[in-house]
Amino acid sequence: MSDSIVIIPTYNEKENIESIIRAVFGLEKCFHILIIDDSSPDGTATIVKNLRDEFPDRLFIVERQGKQGLGTAYICGFKWAIAHGYDFIFEMDADFSHNPKDLPRLYAACVEQGADVAIGSRYCNGVNVVNWPLGRVLMSYFASVYVRLVTGMRIQDTTAGFKCYRREVLETIDLDHVHFKGYAFQVEMKFTAYKCGFKLVEVPIIFINRALGVSNMNSSIFGEALFGVLQLKWWCFFRKYPQKRQ
């Protein structure tokens, strides 16, 4: 039994899914993987289920009907991981934009540095993004600056999606009342953890744009994040956040 599980949401990732699973399982530290697949028409789930014969105790899949969004996929995964007793719960993309070799570094930030949330950060040590168009780099970077200014979080990469949570963080946050389903979900989870008194630590990574498959990112997702941040700030004036146990 591993104490760590990596949640990977998928939608049409047949070009990447077997490779990313084998890369994670090839690490020295033992990680389990939970795939949350939103009815990928390209057969992603079938590939995963075939691999379960090879990794029956380490690879798991939840299949959902329709494309329900990134945030709900992670919420589903968080609840599954908590129910199955994992202590460290990771978020990671399927497309190798997040390097599996960085998973042990995020784990170490929690175990050795006392982080409650370890964030794989593109911006805490300069701008470490490869193969993104300049416009998208600038949009992402300044979105993080904007979020930092509005929320007061001292985090360079506020929109990062490569993270490790201690179990207690996800048990403290009311997962049924997380509002956003798209890009703003990542901001909301960090902001809520921050308001609950948890320690957020950034771990520098190099983010590499996908080589295979098609990105699900679009400008409307960025728009949700920008306006969602204002909502988060407004809501926090009227909401009492449960606090980390001392």
Side-chain angles (χ1 to χ4, degrees):
M1 175 66 184
S2 173
D3 63 350
S4 304
I5 191 160
V6 181
I7 301 171
I8 305 177
T10 55
Y11 185 78
N12 287 349
E13 291 289 355
K14 68 177 183 180
E15 294 94 345
N16 297 300
I17 194 61
E18 180 171 354
S19 296
I20 198 77
I21 288 169
R22 292 191 182 280
V24 173
F25 287 159
L27 297 170
E28 184 176 344
K29 174 173 167 49
C30 178
F31 291 93
H32 290 182
I33 295 176
L34 172 64
I35 304 296
I36 308 291
D37 187 72
D38 277 4
S39 301
S40 296
D42 71 346
T44 298
T46 300
I47 296 170
V48 175
K49 286 185 282 190
N50 289 337
L51 285 170
R52 281 195 305 181
D53 295 334
E54 187 176 346
F55 306 105
D57 300 320
R58 298 181 67 185
L59 178 60
F60 309 95
I61 183 170
V62 172
E63 296 179 80
R64 306 195 305 166
Q65 294 300 311
K67 194 174 180 183
Q68 299 181 42
L70 180 72
T72 63
Y74 276 127
I75 295 296
C76 173
F78 294 157
K79 290 180 176 180
W80 190 99
I82 290 169
H84 287 79
Y86 291 93
D87 293 321
F88 299 93
I89 300 162
F90 294 74
E91 295 183 8
M92 190 174 77
D93 291 347
D95 60 7
F96 284 94
S97 55
H98 302 146
N99 188 339
K101 292 180 180 178
D102 288 324
L103 287 168
R105 298 175 61 231
L106 295 180
Y107 178 80
C110 289
V111 173
E112 298 170 12
Q113 298 178 41
D116 296 307
V117 183
I119 301 164
S121 176
R122 298 163 291 185
Y123 306 129
C124 71
N125 199 6
V127 177
N128 292 301
V129 177
V130 178
N131 292 338
W132 257 10
L134 179 60
R136 185 166 174 187
V137 173
L138 291 173
M139 182 163 57
S140 173
Y141 177 78
F142 284 109
S144 275
V145 172
Y146 164 77
V147 173
R148 196 161 66 245
L149 290 172
V150 173
T151 63
M153 289 191 291
R154 296 179 180 178
I155 298 170
Q156 297 300 312
D157 194 350
T158 56
T159 61
F162 190 23
K163 302 201 287 294
C164 174
Y165 296 93
R166 284 184 182 271
R167 173 192 182 93
E168 183 193 348
V169 178
L170 299 177
E171 289 179 326
T172 301
I173 293 173
D174 185 351
L175 297 176
D176 289 326
H177 288 86
V178 174
H179 292 83
F180 296 109
K181 296 181 179 181
Y183 202 63
F185 166 81
Q186 301 293 4
V187 178
E188 182 175 3
M189 288 298 294
K190 293 185 194 71
F191 183 65
T192 306
Y194 163 74
K195 295 294 286 185
C196 290
F198 289 105
K199 181 180 179 181
L200 282 60
V201 172
E202 290 185 276
V203 176
I205 64 163
I206 296 175
F207 180 95
I208 302 175
N209 193 32
R210 69 163 63 235
L212 299 172
V214 178
S215 172
N216 295 309
M217 187 68 68
N218 57 54
S219 58
S220 67
I221 294 175
F222 275 102
E224 180 201 67
L226 292 174
F227 291 109
V229 171
L230 294 174
Q231 287 180 280
L232 286 175
K233 185 65 175 179
W234 176 251
W235 291 333
C236 84
F237 294 122
F238 307 98
R239 177 181 172 186
K240 185 174 182 179
Y241 292 86
Q243 292 301 295
K244 174 184 177 180
R245 294 191 300 270
Q246 299 301 320

